[in-house]
């Protein structure tokens, strides 16, 4: 049996469904990413795993145990970092570590060893006496991660840990995650960033409380239905509107260029005429492999 | 046990780091004591009294001297020897606040007294301050009566001699300060508890702690223990100021007072926990506690005796825990009451305390889990 199993979870807030028949299996030692826009149900799913809310239907199994039934015993192998910064802002970095370490029974020599080990990754050592509330966004997230790692959990649940964090801190944060993955920690992380998904072992696309698709990042991208062409031209909404008038072709902004989508069985050459008639230099077009984002948008639009 | 100490440690770091709260906690007792110890002074001293002496004799002047003697009145003469003006400015003098009372001595006052004939003197008081007027008239009548006895040598048919037990000088601060101690203990423990729990929820820290192996109830107990100790400290400060600065005599047992205060804390901490479960922001919690405190204070017998309240309101005060604690604290401090005297109040506090504490703990647990 897989390490973490979410089996048919449903949850509504009043009449608003947040999660609909959501299932997932996470293998031991994997980094598993939940991807989707705000309101996709990522937080609800993770909070159910942490037993902070109770699902209307469905069950969660951890290492073969029904999580709801054995939660008190399983708490000590679980680490959780919520979406909003939830440490004591009026306590210092070190005081937060002492407190959360203490809650898991990590005290004395074991505490000091663990603290120094984690400082090695977070580089928070020089800020040990600073109030948590006075840390920068990236440092706050590293402190929250450190607190969640104080007791060396087997399963780490991270809810959008890098949202609103600068790119450099995001990269450092993921390096820490990859280190703990190599130590055997299973990590479930939610994120709105596609580039982070690529670093995960498996990922699930979520939208409107449903699981749209699941697989390895490369599998997910490869599930794209159609062909992708890269158009190396500065995107503008008027240009995209014009391109979308071409029958059988749709266009989308892709960074500082554009992606053109055509059906699988179409020859790209067929569109050379219509594109040229819009005044587009067809030499700027070349075939591209579909990105995770291409696939995700396709799934959202088709409502698959 | 180790994690419980960790919880206490964390609470104290937080309390002593919040400079604003800290000032509030320790300045509040001083302010309350000063306001209630000095400003709300129901003692009647140096009442300005106007004297309309139409007799202008040695005897009438002796009567005024007698009024002056006790430091209860400061008389001012409104008529000169040859004036026979009516009482036209009495009303005016009351309105602009120059006088609170007037004594009217009729002409032929000394003549009648020497003939041992009955004579009437007038006492008028500004009734807009009903309590002040009542005690002013009381004092003045007493003085007039004893003067009459002294001059005529005639004993009245019967005489009333009143004594204030436990507070011979009838000092209102001796009565007020134990009340302040009670309100402080109530407000501080209730408000800090409600706010500290709501803050954990508001900041999301409660959720972070709930995923740790610590049981939510242990978390809660750590918090209330820390705040209970702080509240007792606060009460000790208020009591200390009351005794050392205001010279309130302490007649009873400190041990009994602190033990019963601990018992009372079960009630206030329970209420604080309850308010934290029905509010979601610190602001809401503060307003709720504030509203509740005012209501309990006014119906506790702190300012007005419960026996003065209308019957239906007296029935309402039965469910006011502060009422019982106020009796206990005033009893121990002023009268040296013992457990044997106070037991019905103690039983009331045991019932309130256990019920509220257990109910709120369960409610918190249900909401947290």
């Amino acid at each position: 049996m897989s390490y973490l199993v979410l089996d048919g979870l449903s949850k509504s807030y009043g009449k608003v469904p947040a999660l609909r028949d959501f299932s997932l299996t996470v293998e031991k030692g994997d980094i598993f990413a939940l991807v989707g826009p705000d309101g996709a149900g990522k937080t609800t799913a993770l909070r159910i795993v942490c037993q902070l809310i109770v699902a209307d239907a469905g069950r969660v199994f951890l290492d073969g145990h029904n999580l709801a039934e054995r939660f008190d015993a399983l708490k000590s192998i679980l680490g959780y970092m919520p979406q909003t910064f939830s440490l004591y802002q009026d306590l210092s970095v070190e005081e937060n570590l002492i407190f959360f370490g203490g809650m898991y029974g990590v005290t004395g020599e074991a505490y000091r060893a663990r603290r120094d080990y984690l400082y090695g990754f977070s580089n928070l050592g020089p800020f040990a006496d600073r109030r948590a509330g006075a840390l920068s966004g990236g440092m706050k997230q590293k402190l929250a991660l450190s607190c969640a790692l104080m007791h060396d959990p087997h399963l780490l649940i991270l809810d959008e840990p890098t949202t609103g964090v600068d790119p450099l801190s995001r990269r450092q944060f993921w390096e820490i995650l990859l280190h703990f993955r190599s130590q055997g920690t299973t990590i479930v992380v939610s994120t709105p960033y596609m580039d982070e998904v690529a670093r995960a072992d498996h990922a699930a696309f979520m939208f409107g409380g449903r699981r749209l698709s699941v697989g390895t990042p490369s599998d997910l991208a490869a599930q794209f239905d159609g062909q992708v062409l890269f158009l190396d031209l500065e995107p503008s909404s008027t240009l995209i509107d014009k391109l979308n008038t071409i029958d059988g072709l749709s266009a989308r902004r892709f960074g500082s260029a554009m992606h053109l989508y055509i059906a699988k069985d179409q020859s790209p050459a067929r569109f050379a005429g219509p594109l040229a008639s819009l005044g587009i230099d067809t030499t700027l077009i070349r075939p591209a492999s579909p990105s995770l984002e291409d696939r995700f948008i396709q799934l959202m639009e088709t409502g698959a | 046990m180790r994690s419980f100490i960790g919880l206490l440690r964390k609470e104290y770091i937080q309390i002593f780091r919040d400079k604003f709260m800290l000032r509030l906690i320790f300045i509040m007792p001083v302010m309350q004591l000063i306001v209630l110890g000095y400003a709300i002074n129901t003692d009647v001293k140096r009442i300005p009294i106007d004297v309309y002496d139409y007799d202008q004799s040695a005897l009438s002047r002796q009567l005024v001297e007698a009024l002056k003697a006790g430091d209860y009145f400061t008389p001012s003469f409104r008529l000169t020897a040859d004036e026979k003006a009516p009482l036209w400015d009495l009303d005016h003098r009351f309105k602009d606040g120059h006088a609170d009372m007037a004594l009217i001595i009729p002409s032929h006052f000394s003549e009648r007294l020497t003939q041992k004939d009955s004579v009437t003197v007038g006492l008028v008081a500004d009734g807009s301050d009903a309590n002040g007027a009542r005690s002013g008239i009381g004092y003045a009548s007493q003085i007039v009566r004893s003067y009459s006895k002294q001059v005529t040598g005639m004993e009245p048919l019967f005489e009333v001699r009143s004594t204030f037990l436990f507070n011979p000088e009838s000092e209102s601060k001796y009565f007020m300060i134990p009340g302040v101690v009670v309100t402080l203990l109530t407000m501080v423990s209730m408000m800090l508890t409600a706010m500290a729990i709501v803050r954990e929820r508001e900041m999301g820290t409660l959720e972070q702690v709930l995923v740790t192996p610590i049981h939510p109830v242990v978390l809660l107990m750590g918090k209330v223990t820390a705040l209970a100790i702080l509240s007792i400290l606060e009460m000790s400060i208020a009591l200390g100021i009351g005794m050392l600065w205001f010279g309130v005599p302490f007649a009873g047992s400190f041990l009994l007072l602190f033990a019963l205060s601990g018992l009372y804390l079960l009630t206030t901490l329970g209420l604080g926990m309850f308010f934290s479960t029905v509010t979601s922001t610190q602001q809401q919690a503060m307003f709720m506690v504030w509203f509740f405190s005012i209501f309990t204070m006014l119906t506790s017998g702190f300012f007005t005796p419960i026996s003065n309240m209308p019957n239906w309101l007296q029935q309402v005060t039965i469910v006011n825990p502060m009422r019982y604690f106020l009796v206990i604290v005033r009893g121990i401090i002023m009268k040296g009451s013992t457990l044997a005297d106070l037991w019905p109040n103690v039983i009331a506090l045991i019932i309130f305390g256990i019920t509220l504490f257990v109910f709120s703990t369960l409610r918190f647990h249900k909401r947290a889990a």
Side-chain angles (χ1 to χ4, degrees):
Chain A
M1 197 179 191
S2 299
Y3 187 58
L4 177 68
V5 178
L6 281 63
D7 181 22
L9 296 179
S10 294
K11 175 73 188 175
S12 299
Y13 296 109
K15 281 185 175 171
V16 187
L19 212 53
R20 300 186 241 207
D21 194 21
F22 183 77
S23 295
L24 209 64
T25 55
V26 178
E27 299 306 323
K28 200 173 175 67
D30 265 10
I31 294 186
F32 195 106
L34 293 180
V35 204
D38 287 348
K42 308 188 295 287
T43 298
T44 303
L46 296 182
R47 282 167 60 87
I48 290 172
V49 173
C50 293
Q51 301 287 302
L52 290 167
I53 48 178
V54 179
D56 300 335
R59 288 173 301 175
V60 180
F61 295 94
L62 179 59
D63 212 3
H65 303 292
N66 186 326
L67 195 66
E69 286 167 13
R70 307 243 352 237
F71 191 60
D72 282 339
L74 295 169
K75 268 177 166 179
S76 59
I77 61 164
L78 183 80
Y80 169 60
M81 181 177 157
Q83 188 171 11
T84 46
F85 183 69
S86 300
L87 302 182
Y88 293 98
Q89 312 239 11
D90 47 354
L91 297 189
S92 70
V93 167
E94 171 120 32
E95 285 161 351
N96 270 296
L97 291 174
I98 293 174
F99 178 74
F100 285 103
M103 293 303 101
Y104 287 99
V106 182
T107 54
E109 197 45 56
Y111 160 75
R112 281 185 289 278
R114 189 69 184 165
R115 173 199 64 191
D116 293 339
Y117 179 69
L118 291 171
Y119 277 163
F121 296 99
S122 65
N123 298 317
L124 285 170
F127 305 100
D129 293 327
R130 188 178 288 191
R131 307 269 169 90
L135 294 173
S136 72
M139 287 202 284
K140 274 184 181 168
Q141 295 308 82
K142 280 190 253 180
L143 175 59
L145 179 65
S146 302
C147 285
L149 284 167
M150 273 315 286
H151 59 297
D152 200 6
H154 299 176
L155 174 65
L156 191 56
I157 309 280
L158 309 168
D159 194 2
E160 296 203 16
T162 55
T163 300
V165 172
D166 68 90
L168 180 67
S169 297
R170 271 174 61 192
R171 198 158 66 224
Q172 289 172 345
F173 194 93
W174 269 86
E175 271 152 25
I176 301 174
L177 293 191
L178 290 170
H179 168 82
F180 282 95
R181 175 188 173 277
S182 73
Q183 303 290 304
T185 309
T186 308
I187 301 170
V188 180
V189 55
S190 72
T191 179
Y193 301 117
M194 291 296 167
D195 59 330
E196 291 185 346
V197 180
R199 310 188 74 162
D201 297 300
H202 290 89
F205 283 148
M206 291 182 73
F207 186 68
R210 289 182 211 279
R211 193 188 85 186
L212 296 181
S213 183
V214 65
T216 64
S218 49
D219 285 348
L220 282 170
Q223 286 165 6
F224 186 82
D225 182 19
Q227 299 175 67
V228 179
L229 304 172
F230 181 80
L231 171 56
D232 194 1
L233 206 61
E234 193 68 36
S236 74
S237 43
T238 47
L239 185 57
I240 287 171
D241 286 346
K242 275 189 211 163
L243 286 166
N244 279 329
T245 60
I246 301 174
D247 191 34
L249 181 144
S250 63
R252 190 171 296 280
R253 189 184 295 262
F254 187 78
S256 58
M258 282 174 282
H259 267 182
L260 308 179
Y261 307 121
I262 58 175
K264 220 173 235 164
D265 47 6
Q266 292 280 0
S267 158
R270 223 202 89 197
F271 296 95
L275 286 169
S277 68
L278 290 174
I280 287 165
D281 180 359
T282 50
T283 61
L284 296 174
I285 298 176
R286 59 177 185 273
S289 52
S291 70
L292 282 162
E293 200 173 341
D294 292 326
R295 175 59 180 158
F296 187 74
I297 287 163
Q298 186 178 52
L299 282 171
M300 263 168 56
E301 285 176 348
T302 55
Chain B
M1 195 57 214
R2 250 181 165 172
S3 46
F4 192 75
I5 291 167
L7 283 167
L8 283 185
R9 198 185 114 99
K10 183 218 94 187
E11 290 299 328
Y12 283 116
I13 293 176
Q14 285 189 301
I15 291 165
F16 287 101
R17 192 158 288 168
D18 188 344
K19 294 284 176 269
F20 174 77
M21 272 313 262
L22 203 60
R23 274 189 220 121
L24 194 73
I25 293 168
F26 292 104
I27 289 178
M28 198 158 81
V30 179
M31 293 293 286
Q32 284 211 14
L33 282 168
I34 288 172
V35 170
L36 296 169
Y38 282 123
I40 303 189
N41 194 331
T42 56
D43 303 346
V44 191
K45 286 258 170 75
R46 288 179 290 279
I47 302 167
I49 184 167
D50 281 355
V51 178
Y52 297 86
D53 182 357
Y54 294 95
D55 194 44
Q56 299 288 340
S57 63
L59 284 179
S60 69
R61 272 188 294 276
Q62 267 181 27
L63 173 61
V64 177
E65 283 307 308
L67 266 186
K68 217 191 260 179
D71 202 29
Y72 292 117
F73 298 99
T74 46
S76 46
F77 295 94
R78 302 301 303 157
L79 301 174
T80 53
D82 52 340
E83 231 179 331
K84 293 280 182 245
L87 297 168
W88 64 270
D89 65 345
L90 191 147
D91 178 68
H92 176 68
R93 294 271 296 170
F94 278 14
K95 276 182 184 160
D96 66 15
H98 280 110
D100 287 341
M101 283 181 66
L103 169 70
I104 301 140
I105 306 172
S107 50
H108 315 297
F109 175 72
S110 52
E111 189 188 322
R112 288 193 165 193
L113 269 188
T114 39
Q115 291 167 3
K116 306 215 167 167
D117 201 353
S118 135
V119 63
T120 306
V121 296
L123 278 171
V124 186
D126 174 1
S128 60
D129 171 15
N131 279 327
R134 204 172 295 132
S135 23
I137 293 281
Y139 290 137
S141 322
Q142 213 176 339
I143 292 168
V144 171
R145 254 196 313 274
S146 65
Y147 177 75
S148 134
K149 183 180 146 193
Q150 181 198 320
V151 171
T152 60
M154 286 203 305
E155 286 290 337
L157 286 179
F158 68 93
E159 194 179 0
V160 178
R161 279 192 199 166
S162 50
T163 311
F164 293 108
L165 273 183
F166 310 120
N167 188 359
E169 298 98 54
S170 172
E171 288 266 14
S172 65
K173 66 186 179 194
Y174 293 172
F175 187 63
M176 281 294 171
I177 284 164
V180 176
V181 171
V182 170
T183 46
L184 274 174
L185 191 68
T186 310
M187 291 272 288
V188 168
S189 56
M190 207 154 61
M191 191 172 290
L192 290 184
T193 306
M195 286 181 66
I197 299 171
V198 171
R199 182 172 61 186
E200 295 255 358
R201 192 175 289 127
E202 207 177 3
M203 303 297 283
T205 47
L206 185 62
E207 210 171 276
Q208 187 77 68
V209 177
L210 287 179
V211 297
T212 73
I214 286 294
H215 195 274
V217 171
V218 176
L219 171 76
L220 188 67
M221 290 308 120
K223 206 172 252 317
V224 298
T225 307
L227 294 172
I229 295 170
L230 193 75
S231 307
I232 291 283
L233 183 71
E234 172 106 0
M235 184 184 109
S236 312
I237 293 174
L239 197 60
I241 296 174
M243 291 170 64
L244 299 174
W245 181 258
F246 289 99
V248 175
F250 193 100
S253 148
F254 278 109
L255 188 67
L256 184 63
L257 180 69
F258 280 94
L260 294 180
S261 300
L263 173 64
Y264 178 61
L265 279 175
L266 280 182
T267 300
T268 54
L269 297 172
L271 284 167
M273 288 193 276
F274 174 76
F275 290 133
S276 81
T277 63
V278 293
T279 53
S280 45
T281 65
Q282 289 187 72
Q283 208 173 30
Q284 286 174 1
M286 202 162 78
F287 274 114
M288 193 118 184
V289 171
W290 190 256
F291 175 79
F292 184 82
S293 301
I294 299 286
F295 181 76
T296 37
M297 233 190 285
L298 290 176
T299 57
S300 66
F302 181 9
F303 298 108
T304 43
I306 289 170
S307 53
N308 280 12
M309 295 173 189
N311 193 47
W312 64 269
L313 195 57
Q314 290 192 29
Q315 302 301 315
V316 173
T317 66
I318 291 174
V319 293
N320 181 354
M322 200 200 255
R323 168 195 165 152
Y324 303 99
F325 189 53
L326 194 67
V327 171
I328 291 174
V329 173
R330 278 182 175 155
I332 295 174
I333 294 180
M334 298 179 69
K335 300 186 249 183
S337 306
T338 61
L339 204 52
D341 305 313
L342 298 168
W343 67 267
N345 298 288
V346 175
I347 285 173
L349 286 190
I350 291 173
I351 294 168
F352 277 113
I354 291 176
T355 313
L356 286 166
F357 199 84
V358 170
F359 171 76
S360 301
T361 304
L362 292 176
R363 218 184 122 82
F364 171 86
H365 188 205
K366 201 175 153 211
R367 246 196 100 165

